[in-house]
Amino acid sequence: MIRIVAVRLVDWCWRHAWAVVIASLVATVLLGWFAATHLSLDTDESKLISQDLPFRKVERQIDQAFPSTSERIAVIIDGPTTELAEDAVEKLAQLLPAAHKGLIHDASRPAEEMFFRKNGLLFMSLAELEQIVERMVQAQPLLGSVAKDPSLRGLLTSVDLVLQGIAHGQAQPKDIEPLITQLDKPAAAIAAGRRAQPVDWQSLMSGGPSKDAPRRFLMVHGTLDYGDLEPASKAIDAIRATARDIGLVPENGFKVSITGNLALSDANFATVAEGVEISAPLSFVAVLVLLFWGVRSGRVVGAIVISLIVGLVATAAFAAATVGSLNPISVAFAVMFVGIAVDFAIQFVTAFRNERFLKGEPEAAVLSSARIMAAPLSLAAIATAVGFLSFLPTAYTGVSQLGLIAGGGMIIALVVDFTLLPALLALLKPLPEKEPVGLKLQRADGFLRQHAKGVVGAGLAVGLVGAVLLPIMPLDFDPLHLQDPKAEAVSAFFELAQNPDNGVYAVETLAPSVDAARALTDKFEAVPEVHRVMTVLTFIPEGQDDKLAMISDVAMVLGPTLSPAKVLPAPSAEELLDALSKLAAQLDAVAPDHKPSQSLAAHIKAIIAKGPKAAGEYQTAAAAGLPSLLSGLRRSLEAEKVTLDTIPADLKREWVSADGRARVQVLPKIDMQNQEARNRFNAAVTAVTPLMAGAPISMEQSGHVVIGAFAVAGVGALAAIGLLLGLMLRRWLDSALVLAPLVLGALATVIAARLAGIALNFANVIALPLLLGIGVAFNIYFVVNWRNGVVDHLSSPTTRAVLFSALTTGSAFGSLAVSPHLGTASMGLLLFLSLGLSVAATFIVLPSLFHLIGKAK
């Protein structure tokens, strides 16, 4: 029945070639318009895994309870000093929403950070607080001068006052040596014509390395477009532009990094797109070259390429009608369609060329080709579609969509190859063949015939080794390991991950109340793998009364000093030069034998000689951080007693929901880049409560979902394909012969992956459905030949068609291996390996099995 329909359809299309081609082109335009207007792209990676899984429900509950903590862009500002980083983050926070209305909704500093900047002294020990208070009191003269005049002039005035004290014997030059040394560093650089590094006032005030790193964070909410490949790209571009506009560039000592889930997702797709720009031209050229080499006719290649384009557009329209929106995995339907549809086309064309050589007349040849290829192509297309559709019921939504689209695409490819392709061959009129189409591999056929037992035995041995290695196949479901580590968002994330206090790998749960959160905290803190547990109670310090008394005392002393009634305006260039001249003279007069003082004096004289520009540079380097220093000191002296009721509202909203539930955050102590350690941490915290969410939980659970989905779908696909083949071929032996090389190729791929150091990940597991689709088709062609009495399989035209089909598909896959995106590269490499090993099993083991069994009945 299939043969009769195929022959009549091909005959009609051959005789009405123009009508078929014109109708196909019109249909392609209409279908292309439908796909373009109805097929969208949804790059929200959270939708790749079913939303009904337990850990996804916990994630949704936390997101709903604390919506402000999700979908934020994290901006990291590293400055030359703590004070300048503070200035920079404040400026950027103010400018972003104003400069980009409608795009940037808000830019705010983390509520936890602002809380600790005000109340940080309350979290120190009494001994540490006493040291800080003592230094503040000692610095009162300096602070008073710069508070009244927060410029280089005011700073130099304070130094001049100390020098006067030294002149009257009230102090020694060594008492001011730390300040002189700090001021001399930028002065020496400017005197020598180099860029000056700003004075680190935090280190000077603390008497050692600053505990407050020159790094600030800004959390930005912006408009997201999930129809774009990079949903947050416009907001990120706005942040970068604003940062450049206010001078936050490396030339000024600043580094601005952008990370967070949104930035990581954008960086992921940007790298994928970059890889496509590299691999697509390579793949296109390689496929064309191989097609020309395989069919040796530009006209035939043209017919194949046009058929592929029409089929691809029709498959895109099918995707628009069935799923409507492509996800980051289902977009791969194009690669799958081309990879398998090109095989169908090559098989038909090779049969046509062989029949043309044997019969001479093109019309007789195309009808004979239709008769010969009707059964194997139909069976291959249906079996491949069944294999893809077996992924539909899995919880891995991304691949289930891909299975639906690719399954439909196989039927579309079959229809195109029996309608449009013959019509194009009729119009293009390829030249007749001058020699047989098959490959000259008679000696190889003879070798397989003589050594069939040994070949099959070797295949069984390989399969056994692969079966043993399969349960211990390395798995890596950390999505960051798929991305280019040089990408800014990725490198910034890994840098943050080195410090467990940053909490980038934290997990969370919801407690019914604050009291329940306290009880959970005790349980989590008893877990060895836990570094720290945070709840709203974390922000209530101990021993506040004694500390507040000390802070109150120093506030009474320094309060008027830090908040003068009048602040002088910025000095003019002449006033700066006068102040510098006065200080140089004072240093020469008061400390002629003090080397640091004389060094500073010499460098100041050099700056004076250079003129106002050099003096302005010195002011920027020495005094630019003074306003932030004073502001931070004033803020820290405003600390008040912290209770659950007095915690700032914006901070409390991030830890206690409107209905009273409390967020409990657990930070890991161990290396979360290591999967074994990560799983150990997950097991430990979920033993306390299974209702946990966070990146480590998501990685592990998503990995289980993916592996489970592919295991169930793989077994289901093999069973379904076996049943289908049994029904259509009517012999279970034939079904087993089709599936055996497929299983062997998969197990051999396990061995190759282990030798190549490839771990299964979210990207390369896609090799399984492709292996099923392509491998089934190849094996069906050989089994049908065997049933039709073919003995020398490697010399047949089918082998030539399969070889060049595999080469064209393999070149497309291999080109992915050069992608800078590590996931795409691993996918390309594993696909290339699996395809090569599957073809090897088809070419070597399957004919050997035929020789052992004998002629088909």
Side-chain angles (χ1 to χ4, degrees):
M1 180 65 181
I2 293 177
R3 287 193 180 92
I4 295 173
V5 172
V7 170
R8 289 181 177 177
L9 183 61
V10 169
D11 180 43
W12 191 90
C13 292
W14 181 274
R15 289 185 289 104
H16 301 86
W18 275 113
V20 172
V21 170
I22 292 173
S24 298
L25 293 179
V26 171
T28 301
V29 171
L30 295 175
L31 291 173
W33 171 83
F34 178 78
T37 54
H38 292 77
L39 186 62
S40 61
L41 178 65
D42 187 351
T43 54
D44 188 351
E45 293 179 312
S46 67
K47 297 179 181 177
L48 294 180
I49 303 293
S50 172
Q51 301 290 319
D52 296 329
L53 296 171
F55 79 96
R56 300 308 300 271
K57 292 180 180 178
V58 177
E59 289 177 349
R60 284 204 306 276
Q61 289 174 2
I62 295 176
D63 288 343
Q64 290 168 1
F66 304 99
S68 63
T69 61
S70 61
E71 293 194 332
R72 298 187 298 184
I73 301 168
V75 184
I76 307 171
I77 301 172
D78 290 297
T81 67
T82 303
E83 296 79 22
L84 293 180
E86 182 73 17
D87 278 344
V89 73
E90 287 293 335
K91 289 179 183 177
L92 193 59
Q94 292 174 9
L95 285 175
L96 274 174
H100 304 282
K101 292 180 180 179
L103 179 60
I104 303 296
H105 306 316
D106 67 80
S108 59
R109 301 177 64 177
E112 293 93 340
E113 179 190 354
M114 301 310 295
F115 172 82
F116 283 115
R117 296 215 172 276
K118 178 181 177 181
N119 301 288
L121 295 179
L122 294 176
F123 290 85
M124 292 182 175
S125 66
L126 283 172
E128 290 175 322
L129 184 56
E130 286 175 357
Q131 292 180 356
I132 292 293
V133 166
E134 184 180 350
R135 287 193 171 274
M136 286 183 179
V137 174
Q138 289 175 351
Q140 184 177 14
L142 171 63
L143 295 174
S145 289
V146 297
K148 293 177 182 177
D149 186 2
S151 67
L152 179 61
R153 178 184 58 196
L155 181 59
L156 298 182
T157 299
S158 67
V159 177
D160 183 63
L161 290 174
V162 179
L163 290 174
Q164 290 179 29
I166 294 173
H168 290 88
Q170 298 171 350
Q172 297 294 325
K174 65 179 182 180
D175 296 334
I176 201 176
E177 189 168 310
L179 177 57
I180 293 294
T181 302
Q182 285 285 353
L183 292 175
D184 191 36
K185 291 178 181 178
I190 294 171
R194 303 192 307 271
R195 177 179 290 276
Q197 292 297 319
V199 173
D200 187 351
W201 288 104
Q202 286 282 345
S203 298
L204 184 62
M205 293 293 295
S206 62
S210 174
K211 293 184 179 180
D212 187 7
R215 168 173 283 184
R216 295 292 183 267
F217 294 87
L218 190 65
M219 311 310 293
V220 179
H221 283 97
T223 299
L224 305 177
D225 180 7
Y226 283 112
D228 192 358
L229 193 63
E230 299 170 50
S233 60
K234 293 178 181 177
I236 291 175
D237 290 343
I239 295 169
R240 295 192 193 283
T242 305
R244 285 194 302 269
D245 291 343
I246 60 176
L248 305 186
V249 293
E251 292 79 8
N252 295 332
F254 289 94
K255 177 186 176 184
V256 177
S257 305
I258 299 176
T259 189
N261 290 338
L262 294 173
L264 287 168
S265 178
D266 275 17
N268 184 32
F269 289 115
T271 312
V272 170
E274 182 183 349
V276 171
E277 292 175 358
I278 297 172
S279 61
L282 289 176
S283 174
F284 180 74
V285 172
V287 167
L288 281 183
V289 169
L290 288 168
L291 281 176
F292 273 108
W293 184 23
V295 303
R296 296 178 295 191
S297 169
R299 299 179 186 184
V300 173
V301 170
I304 292 175
V305 170
I306 293 172
S307 299
L308 287 177
I309 293 172
V310 170
L312 184 59
V313 172
T315 304
F318 173 75
T322 53
V323 301
S325 180
L326 298 175
N327 60 52
I329 291 180
S330 60
V331 293
F333 82 88
V335 175
M336 284 197 172
F337 177 84
V338 172
I340 301 177
V342 74
D343 166 60
F344 294 171
I346 289 175
Q347 292 293 336
F348 187 93
V349 165
T350 301
F352 171 71
R353 292 175 59 218
N354 186 60
E355 293 301 307
R356 179 80 181 275
F357 175 78
L358 295 175
K359 293 182 169 56
E361 289 297 323
E363 184 172 358
V366 78
L367 294 178
S368 180
S369 302
R371 188 177 301 106
I372 293 170
M373 297 308 302
L377 275 186
S378 300
L379 184 57
I382 295 171
T384 305
V386 167
F388 284 137
L389 293 174
S390 65
F391 288 87
L392 267 179
T394 67
Y396 195 7
T397 310
V399 174
S400 67
Q401 278 192 8
L402 176 62
L404 174 62
I405 300 169
M410 296 304 95
I411 305 304
I412 291 172
L414 179 67
V415 172
V416 169
D417 287 338
F418 280 99
T419 55
L420 178 61
L421 185 57
L424 289 170
L425 292 175
L427 294 180
L428 294 174
K429 296 181 174 58
L431 298 175
E433 302 298 322
K434 297 180 180 179
E435 58 183 21
V437 175
L439 299 173
K440 299 177 181 179
L441 295 175
Q442 288 80 6
R443 293 180 63 181
D445 277 317
F447 177 86
L448 293 180
R449 191 179 298 108
Q450 294 176 10
H451 302 87
K453 289 183 179 180
V455 171
V456 172
L460 287 173
V462 170
L464 288 173
V465 173
V468 171
L469 293 177
L470 181 60
I472 56 174
M473 181 77 178
L475 309 174
D476 184 1
F477 289 103
D478 187 339
L480 288 181
H481 292 169
L482 304 182
Q483 296 187 230
D484 182 2
K486 297 178 182 178
E488 178 188 275
V490 181
S491 61
F493 182 91
F494 283 145
E495 183 185 350
L496 291 176
Q498 293 175 4
N499 183 354
D501 284 316
N502 286 327
V504 296
Y505 279 114
V507 295
E508 298 178 331
T509 189
L510 288 178
S513 64
V514 173
D515 289 336
R518 182 185 286 109
L520 273 178
T521 298
D522 295 337
K523 294 180 181 180
F524 281 125
E525 287 179 341
V527 176
E529 291 84 1
V530 171
H531 169 64
R532 184 158 55 92
V533 183
M534 291 188 68
T535 67
V536 68
L537 300 174
T538 304
F539 303 95
I540 301 178
E542 298 177 354
Q544 295 186 62
D545 293 338
D546 292 338
K547 297 171 187 176
L548 283 170
M550 294 175 62
I551 295 171
S552 178
D553 289 342
V554 75
M556 289 180 63
V557 175
L558 292 182
T561 300
L562 294 173
S563 302
K566 183 180 179 181
V567 177
L568 295 177
S572 64
E574 292 75 13
E575 289 173 329
L576 276 182
L577 291 172
D578 289 343
L580 288 169
S581 300
K582 184 177 179 181
L583 180 62
Q586 277 281 72
L587 289 170
D588 286 338
V590 176
D593 299 323
H594 187 239
K595 288 185 178 179
S597 297
Q598 290 307 301
S599 175
L600 177 58
H603 292 139
I604 285 177
K605 292 173 185 177
I607 291 173
I608 295 170
K610 287 177 175 286
K613 183 179 179 181
E617 291 176 5
Y618 188 41
Q619 167 158 277
T620 300
L626 291 176
S628 291
L629 173 67
L630 296 170
S631 175
L633 288 173
R634 283 193 289 265
R635 185 190 299 127
S636 66
L637 295 179
E638 295 171 355
E640 299 173 345
K641 188 167 185 176
V642 181
T643 67
L644 194 58
D645 294 327
T646 62
I647 288 177
D650 59 341
L651 176 60
K652 193 171 183 178
R653 276 196 301 269
E654 295 191 0
W655 293 93
V656 181
S657 67
D659 58 6
R661 289 178 295 171
R663 184 160 67 105
V664 181
Q665 188 180 74
V666 185
L667 281 65
K669 182 187 295 181
I670 54 183
D671 178 18
M672 299 300 281
Q673 296 292 317
N674 181 282
Q675 181 162 316
E676 181 181 349
R678 187 169 64 241
N679 291 345
R680 191 168 68 251
F681 170 77
N682 290 344
V685 296
T686 52
V688 176
T689 172
L691 302 177
M692 302 294 298
I697 301 292
S698 177
M699 280 185 260
E700 182 183 6
Q701 294 299 320
S702 297
H704 291 326
V705 169
V706 171
I707 293 301
F710 276 89
V712 171
V715 172
L718 289 175
I721 291 171
L723 178 62
L724 175 68
L725 294 173
L727 292 174
M728 297 187 70
L729 297 177
R730 301 172 189 167
R731 286 186 59 189
W732 295 109
L733 174 62
D734 294 355
S735 301
L737 287 172
V738 170
L739 296 178
L742 197 61
V743 174
L744 177 59
L747 295 175
T749 302
V750 172
I751 301 173
R754 289 300 300 268
L755 293 175
I758 302 173
L760 281 182
N761 55 50
F762 285 116
N764 60 29
V765 291
I766 206 173
L768 177 59
L770 269 175
L771 180 64
L772 284 172
I774 298 175
V776 162
F778 290 168
N779 297 336
I780 286 172
Y781 303 144
F782 273 69
V783 170
V784 170
N785 279 359
W786 173 64
R787 287 184 54 153
N788 290 334
V790 174
V791 177
D792 293 332
H793 297 275
L794 298 185
S795 307
S796 69
T798 299
T799 300
R800 181 185 185 88
V802 169
L803 175 63
F804 282 98
S805 173
L807 288 174
T808 52
T809 306
S811 66
F813 295 160
S815 67
L816 298 176
V818 302
S819 172
H821 186 266
L822 300 184
T824 303
S826 71
M827 178 174 67
L829 182 57
L830 191 61
L831 286 172
F832 185 80
L833 286 174
S834 64
L835 178 63
L837 293 169
S838 178
V839 170
T842 300
F843 281 4
I844 300 173
V845 178
L846 189 55
S848 300
L849 285 171
F850 294 152
H851 293 313
L852 285 181
I853 296 170
K855 291 184 178 180
K857 296 179 181 178

